[in-house]
Amino acid sequence: MSYKRKDLLGTRDLSSDELMFFLDYAKEFKNLNNQSIKKADNLRGKTVINVFYENSTRTRTSFETAAKRLGADAINFTASQSSTKKGETLIDTIHNMEAMKTDIFVVRHNCSGSVRFIAQNSNACVVNAGDGLNEHPTQALLDLFTIREHKGSFKGLNVSIIGDIEHSRVARSDIWAMKTLGINVTLFGPPMMMPNRVDAFGCRVAKNMEEAVEGADVIIMLRVQLERQGSSTPFPSTREYSKFFGLTKERVKLANKNPLVFHPGPINRGVELNSDVADSECSMVLNQVENGVAVRMAVLSTLIKNRG
Ligand code: CP
């Protein structure tokens, strides 16, 4: 079992073996991260540049942490403070940084497909840290790692993904990976935030919050992505959103025994997730963040091995 590709661009075309390889490998790094000295030399002498055209807290800092713990020189490129503002193109920007002998680019961009475009035009390894509405593969890997850690296996598991599915690259990467691993996925969200062809995902679609939560082992709440909704807010008030689409403690009671609640962050408290759930024992929000570092260490180590 291994992963032989140059890049990690999404989960849609990954096999079950490739997904499981990353989850198994990440365990080694989780153990390392629990030591007092969290250092390995898998990326010693290598250069990783985090190329971020969109804001990030978790993904960028965890990739930077992962790269540094593996001994790499980790550099952060922030588009808003770069020559992008003077009109430099995406590929010119990448080629200039590649000329500095960069080994891995970790890229977040607002356009779907842009990270694949970079991978096709660069000899360096490329990791997709979120491209538009398309994919966020390391988020899916850290979600799966956290689910397996708490539930033991994926067999017969029911996962409900709830909220702004249309604008969520997290939802897409989770759905593709979970379907490959045989997980039963249910989707639910406001009609104005559901993709037109939601049936194309091949998932069960719930009619209301209660139906979406009932029988779930894992509930993944999605952030309402106001930055992708254009000029008009797609719902009249946050109170109304919370009433029809928010996860409350009462609703969590409808789920299976010992349910796990996930959220990729940042949370809109009181909108998609109430604080009494976000800060409760069933909340995996900070476990997801912790496991994100281990998963990203596994991804970076694998790609650098493939690069030779
Ligand atoms: N989960 C996630 O992508 O969070 P950030 O936007 O803070 O990186």
Side-chain angles (χ1 to χ4, degrees), residues 23-49:
L23 303 188
D24 290 340
Y25 193 23
K27 272 199 221 169
E28 283 181 31
F29 296 107
K30 173 128 189 190
N31 291 339
L32 178 72
N33 290 340
N34 282 323
Q35 309 294 314
S36 62
I37 307 292
K38 308 165 191 59
K39 227 29 185 179
D41 63 0
N42 307 44
L43 264 72
R44 189 161 60 92
K46 304 296 182 186
T47 300
V48 177
I49 304 191

Side-chain angles (χ1 to χ4, degrees), residues 68 88 122 134 304:
K68 285 181 172 166
E88 190 163 35
S122 171
N134 185 34
I304 216 74

Side-chain angles (χ1 to χ4, degrees), residues 221-257:
M221 297 304 295
L222 300 172
R223 182 172 70 85
V224 178
Q225 306 216 7
L226 289 173
E227 75 274 25
R228 299 191 204 283
Q229 313 272 356
S231 51
S232 61
T233 311
F235 51 90
S237 72
T238 53
R239 205 154 52 95
E240 186 164 60
Y241 188 94
S242 175
K243 180 177 168 197
F244 288 97
F245 308 105
L247 190 62
T248 59
K249 220 162 188 171
E250 282 310 304
R251 283 176 171 153
V252 172
K253 287 180 190 158
L254 298 170
N256 278 350
K257 199 166 168 233

Side-chain angles (χ1 to χ4, degrees), residues 52 55-60 108 129 136 139 169-170 264-266 296:
F52 275 60
N55 296 339
S56 168
T57 295
R58 282 144 288 270
T59 311
R60 196 171 95 167
R108 172 168 287 190
H136 192 351
Q139 180 72 42
R169 54 200 177 204
V170 173
R296 286 164 179 139

